[in-house]
Amino acid sequence: DAPDDYDAKTTARLAGVIDLDHGFLLSASVGQGFKTPTISQTVCDFCFPAGPSAGLRPETAEGWDAALSWRSDDDRFYARVTGYRLEVQDQINYGVGRYVNIDRTRTTGVEAELEAELTERLSLKASYAFTDAVDESTGAELIRAPEHAGSLTLLWTGNRLKTALTVRAEGEQAD
């Protein structure tokens, strides 16, 4: 990335997948990220009082994830468990009426997914996520990052139509 208003930044990512046979796959990745403030964050169009957010720095991040998945031979069932960690420096966050940088944040979590084809036209998907997101400078929980979240989706597929009903739930979260 080489934006006009910030120093250029080179990021890297490495990913791989290993087929473990019998429908199992092991996948993992490690990488870096770079994000400059958006126009909305810079101009601070939703801030109170109105006016630009001064001195916002770009975010830089490093993270990894690893997953184990399984798919049945007949393709009717699928399951996946993923663990991850993301560490961000200068994370851009909205707080106290303005956009500000948080020095260091860390998000660690586990996600689980299940899919089942119940009939030729009806399938079910379920997911759950546990997330531990903290401001490493203060130890405070990050806002808008629920510790528990999940969903359940029932899908129906017709000849020319497809429809889904999803129920989603999230645990308490700081705001």
Side-chain angles (χ1 to χ4, degrees):
D1 290 320
D4 292 338
D5 295 336
Y6 302 95
D7 292 337
K9 181 79 173 174
T10 301
T11 58
R13 181 172 177 88
L14 178 65
V17 177
I18 299 172
D19 187 341
L20 301 174
D21 292 330
H22 307 291
F24 287 94
L25 290 176
L26 181 63
S27 59
S29 68
V30 62
Q32 301 169 316
F34 176 74
K35 180 191 165 298
T36 60
T38 65
I39 293 171
S40 179
Q41 291 167 337
T42 303
V43 174
C44 210
D45 47 6
F46 294 106
C47 293
F48 182 80
S53 291
L56 281 179
R57 298 176 305 276
E59 298 177 354
T60 57
E62 292 185 357
W64 60 264
D65 64 76
L68 178 64
S69 63
W70 173 80
R71 185 172 301 279
S72 65
D73 290 336
D74 61 3
D75 238 10
R76 292 187 58 218
F77 301 99
Y78 173 78
R80 179 181 174 109
V81 176
T82 305
Y84 64 91
R85 173 170 276 190
L86 178 65
E87 295 176 354
V88 180
Q89 288 188 331
D90 295 322
Q91 180 170 320
I92 300 169
N93 201 37
Y94 186 80
V96 195
R98 311 217 77 54
Y99 287 97
V100 296
N101 287 103
I102 300 174
D103 289 335
R104 292 182 339 249
T105 65
R106 177 189 35 80
T107 304
T108 306
V110 176
E111 298 175 353
E113 306 168 58
L114 296 171
E115 296 179 19
E117 185 181 308
L118 305 175
T119 68
E120 187 176 303
R121 295 187 182 267
L122 199 60
S123 55
L124 186 67
K125 293 183 179 186
S127 66
Y128 169 77
F130 170 80
T131 305
D132 179 31
V134 296
D135 177 337
E136 288 197 303
S137 305
T138 65
E141 175 184 333
L142 291 180
I143 63 171
R144 296 180 201 94
E147 188 174 59
H148 303 280
S151 67
L152 188 62
T153 301
L154 186 62
L155 294 112
W156 178 81
T157 304
N159 293 333
R160 296 178 44 196
L161 198 59
K162 194 180 222 181
T163 187
L165 173 65
T166 300
V167 176
R168 179 164 171 75
E170 292 182 348
E172 290 183 19
Q173 54 191 299
D175 192 8

